[in-house]
Amino acid sequence: MSILGRLRKLYAIEKRVETLPPEENTRQRQQLAQPVLDDLKAWLEKNSARVPKNSLTYKAMQYTLNQWELLTGYLADGRLHISNALAENAIRPFAVGRRNWLFAYLHHVLQHIGGANTVEDIEALLPWNANLKGKQEG
């Protein structure tokens, strides 16, 4: 079975146990997913030696093996998810917005720095003091 086949199997198990109470979810995961994960780990250990050591594939395989405890930690608690996709989706607006906010701030500073004649004027442009609402236009 391929790596993708093993991962699909793990996600199929998750689909099957997702509505169970946490205690039962944990029990089912340990019974059903643990053997798949053990097989996956054995495959990684066996096949990483067959891949060139300077390749990205080798690095990914070694990273997975080095992070194995964290990767399989979800088995111990039925409240945890197999994937961090929910967390990533929750923070995505901030990660994407960070760049936009930085440029909005720089635009604001460049617009107003020429009129700053005192230390107080300069301090008003610091990120924690700058009020960008309504000042981005013009």
Side-chain angles (χ1 to χ4, degrees):
M1 182 185 306
S2 70
I3 291 291
L4 288 177
R6 289 173 177 91
L7 294 176
R8 283 187 191 106
K9 195 169 186 178
L10 290 170
Y11 277 89
I13 292 167
E14 285 305 298
K15 187 78 171 157
R16 193 168 140 190
V17 302
E18 69 185 351
T19 60
L20 298 175
E23 301 80 23
E24 182 62 18
N25 185 322
T26 301
R27 192 181 71 71
Q28 289 286 320
R29 280 178 176 169
Q30 290 171 351
Q31 180 183 352
L32 300 171
Q34 185 68 60
V36 178
L37 287 163
D38 291 343
D39 181 50
L40 174 61
K41 185 176 184 186
W43 187 94
L44 288 167
E45 289 170 340
K46 176 183 172 188
N47 289 290
S48 66
R50 298 178 179 178
V51 179
K53 292 199 182 328
N54 61 347
S55 71
L56 292 177
T57 301
Y58 177 83
K59 290 176 184 174
M61 293 169 91
Q62 289 304 306
Y63 179 81
T64 302
L65 290 168
N66 291 338
Q67 301 297 318
W68 195 255
E69 268 188 57
L70 297 172
L71 175 72
T72 60
Y74 80 100
L75 293 175
D77 189 336
R79 297 171 298 173
L80 300 177
H81 293 276
I82 190 172
S83 168
N84 67 347
L86 293 173
E88 286 188 9
N89 288 339
I91 65 169
R92 183 166 286 117
F94 299 101
V96 171
R98 181 176 46 216
R99 179 174 165 231
N100 296 335
W101 299 326
L102 171 64
F103 288 112
Y105 169 70
L106 290 175
H107 182 259
H108 171 75
V109 169
L110 292 173
Q111 275 188 319
H112 295 88
I113 193 94
N117 297 318
T118 66
V119 171
E120 289 79 17
D121 292 341
I122 300 283
E123 286 178 348
L125 294 174
L126 294 174
W128 46 88
N129 294 332
N131 179 7
L132 299 179
K133 291 186 180 177
K135 294 185 180 182
Q136 291 178 23
E137 306 88 24

